[in-house]
Amino acid sequence: MVLSKKRARHVIEEIIALFPDAKPSLDFRNHFELLVAVMLSAQTTDAAVNKATPGLFADFPTPQDMADASESEIAKHISRLGLYRNKAKFLKKCAQQLLDDFDGQVPQTREELESLAGVGRKTANVVLSVGFGIPAFAVDTHVERICKHHDIVKKSATPLEVEKRVMDVLPPEEWLAAHQAMIYFGRAICHPKNPECEHYPQLYDFSSL
């Protein structure tokens, strides 16, 4: 049974209240580094990405540097990450696209971001919201699991359905905070196995609604 819009908003806002200062856990200094870090984070922990990127960014600080590098030169920096050979290929191609199509700048629309090699909807949404402050809601494994566990969406919901539901439930100014808080909540409390959400009764206190 999927929660009503009011109750779903209550649950998400209580999660935000648990982690009001949640910040992106990927390390980056500019839009290009953010894009690369988010691309690398697929099927890999942010902590592992943060270990790999200092050397990567030191050797290839700009799209031009990365486009000029060979796939093997890029791969050696990220060889401990999942799918690193594919990621190296995507990074080189993406960097070349930034030069060819966007004057070396990271674009600021979802359509343009998704035109880049290795960039899907989730990556585009993170770059828009975290990098440019443009309202967007990214759905990763934590967000999808939490929304299904707490009946914000049906168990069979696709990532896109999760995204649209949360955007419908919350005002745009809360989308980024919800994304960040859900990641922390998923890591600390709503685990894939043995979630500890029952220790937080305020999530389920709908008496004021």
Side-chain angles (χ1 to χ4, degrees), residues 2 6 16 32 36 41 58 66 83 85 96 98 101 104 122 136 156 160 165 180 182 203:
V2 175
K6 273 188 178 179
I16 295 172
F32 176 61
V36 169
S41 70
M66 196 165 282
L83 308 173
R85 288 191 179 88
Q96 189 63 55
L98 290 176
D101 302 336
K122 186 201 85 169
S156 60
L160 183 57
R165 170 67 166 162
Q180 300 297 351
M182 282 186 177
L203 297 172

Side-chain angles (χ1 to χ4, degrees), residues 38 41-43 114 120-127 138-141 179:
V38 179
S41 70
Q43 298 185 36
E114 288 190 31
R121 189 176 183 89
K122 186 201 85 169
T123 296
N125 282 341
V126 173
V127 173
V139 176
D140 65 3
T141 54
H179 171 74

Side-chain angles (χ1 to χ4, degrees), residues 26-174:
L26 290 170
D27 296 333
F28 63 93
R29 295 168 298 185
N30 54 54
H31 294 137
F32 176 61
E33 289 188 358
L34 172 62
L35 175 62
V36 169
V38 179
M39 290 173 66
L40 291 176
S41 70
Q43 298 185 36
T44 304
T45 66
D46 289 356
V49 173
N50 288 340
K51 288 180 182 177
T53 49
L56 181 71
F57 294 149
D59 280 4
F60 316 116
T62 68
Q64 185 71 64
D65 296 315
M66 196 165 282
D68 289 343
S70 68
E71 287 180 28
S72 61
E73 287 174 322
I74 297 170
K76 74 178 183 182
H77 287 287
I78 60 173
S79 60
R80 295 191 176 185
L81 306 183
L83 308 173
Y84 75 94
R85 288 191 179 88
N86 270 347
K87 289 175 179 178
K89 179 175 69 177
F90 285 142
L91 287 179
K92 178 175 172 63
K93 186 173 180 182
C94 175
Q96 189 63 55
Q97 287 175 289
L98 290 176
L99 295 171
D100 293 343
D101 302 336
F102 303 107
D103 297 320
Q105 301 299 309
V106 176
Q108 298 185 40
T109 70
R110 180 184 286 108
E111 184 179 12
E112 289 173 324
L113 284 165
E114 288 190 31
S115 74
L116 299 169
V119 176
R121 189 176 183 89
K122 186 201 85 169
T123 296
N125 282 341
V126 173
V127 173
L128 288 172
S129 58
V130 174
F132 295 108
I134 296 170
F137 185 76
V139 176
D140 65 3
T141 54
H142 293 296
V143 171
E144 184 175 352
R145 181 176 72 253
I146 290 163
C147 286
K148 290 180 178 180
H149 182 73
H150 290 277
D151 298 318
I152 293 164
V153 297
K154 60 188 179 182
K155 297 293 189 279
S156 60
T158 64
L160 183 57
E161 287 172 332
V162 174
E163 177 186 332
K164 288 182 175 179
R165 170 67 166 162
V166 173
M167 291 168 66
D168 181 52
V169 164
L170 292 179
E173 60 269 21
E174 291 186 358

